[in-house]
Amino acid sequence: MSEKEKYPLKKVCLICAKGTLEDVYAALVMANGAVMEGIETNLFFTFFGLDGITKKQMNSLHTASVGNPAMRMPGGLAFPTWLGGLPGVEAGVSSMMRKGMEELDMPPVDEFLEMIDAGGGKVYACKLAIDMFKLKKEDLWDGVNSIITIGEFYEMSGGENTQIIFT
Amino acid sequence: MATKTFAGVSIEVNDDGYLVNSTDWTKKIAADMAKEEGIEITDTHYEVLNFIRTKIGNGENLTIRGIGKSGIVDIKGFYKLFPGAPLKKATKLAGVAKPTSCI
């Protein structure tokens, strides 16, 4: 019997703490991937990651065009830092990223969350961060299960073959 | 490579239990495979399986999102039809290769 048969992953608890397009999508892809495998999934949004479940921002997330050394021009040339700071460049870059993702059948954030929800995955928001950013439950995507403390998050992360993943 | 008997016919399957030759597939084989997965196959299951076979046959990408937009079932319904790991199970029963999609 192989290792993966002996110890199949039963539950994953993901923490999304950053609000850039790629950070939120990393959490969404991993959460949805877990749901697709039949793994119990909890997705916890905190700090700037809350943008991923805030109605106003969730579908217009940006990728950083300044301070992002991994970013390249189309064609692979280096992307100059000064260019990234010009007005509209970050929005343009982000919209290109979203277009590229749509071509791979990656849904917009709200639809992605609905897919996770449809498969039985649970989405939570961090109470401390909600208080800090002065957000209310109404500001959040309707499918958010509840606003919880980190203690409650750890409570739901118990059990054998559970992993906590921080993106 | 192993063979397995479905609906009284010996069929070539790979290590994960997927059909090696998609052309071997019949509705009866699907029904037998479904039983093994604990699924009682219905017409809706067959509709989904046919949708998958058509998509793959056309060389298109298969995603849960795409199935949700097929007009046959929504995503929630798809998870209900093939509980646990729906895309993996559905492709297995459809007699096509194990999905390589991450979404």
Side-chain angles (χ1 to χ4, degrees):
Chain A
M1 199 184 272
S2 73
E3 279 298 299
K4 67 176 179 185
E5 278 170 310
K6 260 193 284 184
Y7 307 109
L9 198 49
K10 285 187 187 157
K11 179 157 64 177
V12 290
C13 299
L14 295 120
I15 303 166
C16 177
K18 282 170 255 162
T20 66
L21 185 71
E22 64 272 23
D23 285 306
V24 170
Y25 268 87
L28 291 172
V29 169
M30 281 192 278
N32 184 60
V35 169
M36 277 168 66
E37 292 297 308
I39 298 168
E40 186 184 338
T41 308
N42 295 314
L43 180 53
F44 181 70
F45 287 87
T46 186
F47 278 89
F48 290 107
L50 281 174
D51 269 11
I53 49 169
T54 306
K55 277 179 201 157
K56 245 190 224 166
Q57 274 95 28
M58 59 196 300
N59 284 330
S60 51
L61 299 175
H62 277 191
T63 201
S65 57
V66 171
N68 185 355
M71 198 164 73
R72 300 260 183 282
M73 300 281 242
L77 283 175
F79 195 94
T81 298
W82 58 265
L83 180 60
L86 296 179
V89 170
E90 191 178 279
V93 164
S94 304
S95 117
M96 270 176 74
M97 289 266 289
R98 275 197 294 270
K99 213 176 132 214
M101 292 186 334
E102 179 65 45
E103 277 164 19
L104 291 174
D105 210 16
M106 284 169 85
V109 173
D110 56 350
E111 193 188 331
F112 219 158
L113 286 165
E114 276 157 26
M115 283 169 65
I116 291 167
D117 182 61
K122 302 269 193 310
V123 177
Y124 299 96
C126 165
K127 181 173 186 308
L128 191 61
I130 291 278
D131 291 346
M132 198 188 121
F133 291 127
K134 298 191 169 44
L135 289 166
K136 290 188 211 69
K137 183 87 166 61
E138 306 86 82
D139 299 323
L140 303 178
W141 173 64
D142 294 330
V144 171
N145 280 74
S146 55
I147 298 169
I148 61 171
T149 65
I150 188 65
E152 286 169 304
F153 174 77
Y154 283 133
E155 274 171 30
M156 61 177 68
S157 307
E160 62 174 9
N161 302 340
T162 300
Q163 292 290 337
I164 294 179
I165 302 168
F166 189 92
T167 69
Chain B
M1 221 59 84
T3 53
K4 250 184 139 173
T5 308
F6 292 111
V9 194
S10 181
I11 307 277
E12 235 183 315
V13 294
N14 68 14
D15 293 342
D16 294 322
Y18 288 71
L19 297 196
V20 174
N21 302 308
S22 184
T23 44
D24 287 343
W25 187 86
T26 62
K27 278 176 96 171
K28 276 190 178 153
I29 292 174
D32 244 20
M33 283 178 127
K35 238 180 248 164
E36 213 172 62
E37 299 280 348
I39 296 168
E40 196 60 54
I41 207 152
T42 64
D43 287 346
T44 321
H45 285 95
Y46 282 125
E47 270 184 67
V48 174
L49 298 185
N50 279 327
F51 173 79
I52 291 173
R53 287 182 65 81
T54 313
K55 271 253 176 198
I56 299 286
N58 294 341
E60 285 174 61
N61 246 353
L62 185 71
T63 59
I64 286 198
R65 188 188 188 202
I67 291 172
K69 286 186 175 167
S70 66
I72 304 166
V73 278
D74 59 7
I75 294 176
K76 209 170 196 164
F78 183 49
Y79 272 93
K80 274 216 184 98
L81 287 177
F82 303 93
L87 202 57
K88 272 188 179 173
K89 280 189 189 171
T91 45
K92 196 186 219 176
L93 300 192
V96 299
K98 193 173 174 179
T100 50
S101 161
C102 285
I103 36 176

